[in-house]
Amino acid sequence: MTFDRVAGHRLLVGLFASFVFLCGVIAGPAARAATVQPLEIVTKNGVHVFSVELATTEEEKTTGLMYRKELPDGKGMLFDFSPEQQVSMWMKNTYVSLDMIFIRADGRILRIAENTEPLSTKIISSGGPAKGVLEVVAGTAQKYGIQPGDRVAHPLFNGK
């Protein structure tokens, strides 16, 4: 090969590799939600800050945390179910046990489903109208003393 043909070949290989990578990132089952934001939960023990991926599109809400092998402490996913409504979740294709925190439109925690069963298709209900669901690694609610009635501060909830 001449230099030009080698350079052209390398360029094509590089473009193909980039395309495959982007396809995996965009369409892969473990693709991340587009936006990461801070979220605070105010408890009797103090303020606890989390870094959450925001799931707003139907695809993001359907996929959620499926296929992920780990979820670090302090990280999570916030599902936007605006307007406030009865919400049902499940753990299908979710390998990590989670605490699901159902949040009302006013930012108050409605219910917490702790230590959910990985890979289960059992329906987990909000138990009333919820505007958002925060999924964090199992044990988080107990570790930080998070309880129903505690306040969540995030723009999704009354702009706070």
Side-chain angles (χ1 to χ4, degrees):
M1 278 188 192
T2 67
F3 176 76
D4 289 337
R5 291 185 74 193
V6 170
H9 178 71
R10 285 184 183 157
L11 177 64
L12 286 175
V13 169
L15 287 173
F16 179 74
S18 296
F19 174 76
V20 169
F21 173 76
L22 285 174
C23 286
V25 168
I26 293 168
R32 305 283 195 239
T35 305
V36 176
Q37 299 178 345
L39 174 144
E40 297 178 350
I41 300 179
V42 181
T43 71
K44 288 186 270 186
N45 302 328
V47 178
H48 307 284
V49 180
F50 298 88
S51 177
V52 298
E53 297 172 53
L54 194 58
T56 57
T57 69
E58 286 308 311
E59 181 180 1
E60 289 168 345
K61 288 189 278 188
T62 300
T63 305
L65 294 171
M66 287 181 174
Y67 309 107
R68 301 203 193 172
K69 302 292 185 182
E70 62 182 28
L71 181 62
D73 189 34
K75 306 286 184 186
M77 182 171 281
L78 178 62
F79 295 76
D80 180 352
F81 287 104
S82 299
E84 191 175 51
Q85 59 189 281
Q86 180 72 31
V87 176
S88 295
M89 308 287 280
W90 65 0
M91 293 289 293
K92 182 178 181 181
N93 299 320
T94 306
Y95 300 111
V96 179
S97 181
L98 302 171
D99 286 351
M100 292 183 185
I101 302 172
F102 296 89
I103 309 161
R104 298 188 311 227
D106 67 0
R108 294 283 179 184
I109 295 174
L110 171 66
R111 175 177 183 267
I112 303 171
E114 295 185 59
N115 303 307
T116 57
E117 181 184 349
L119 305 173
S120 173
T121 57
K122 178 184 172 192
I123 300 299
I124 302 165
S125 174
S126 59
K131 185 172 184 179
V133 179
L134 173 62
E135 291 184 342
V136 290
V137 70
T140 297
Q142 183 175 9
K143 179 178 179 178
Y144 296 111
I146 300 169
Q147 300 178 355
D150 288 345
R151 180 169 296 282
V152 176
H154 183 273
L156 178 62
F157 308 106
N158 288 337
K160 297 179 183 175

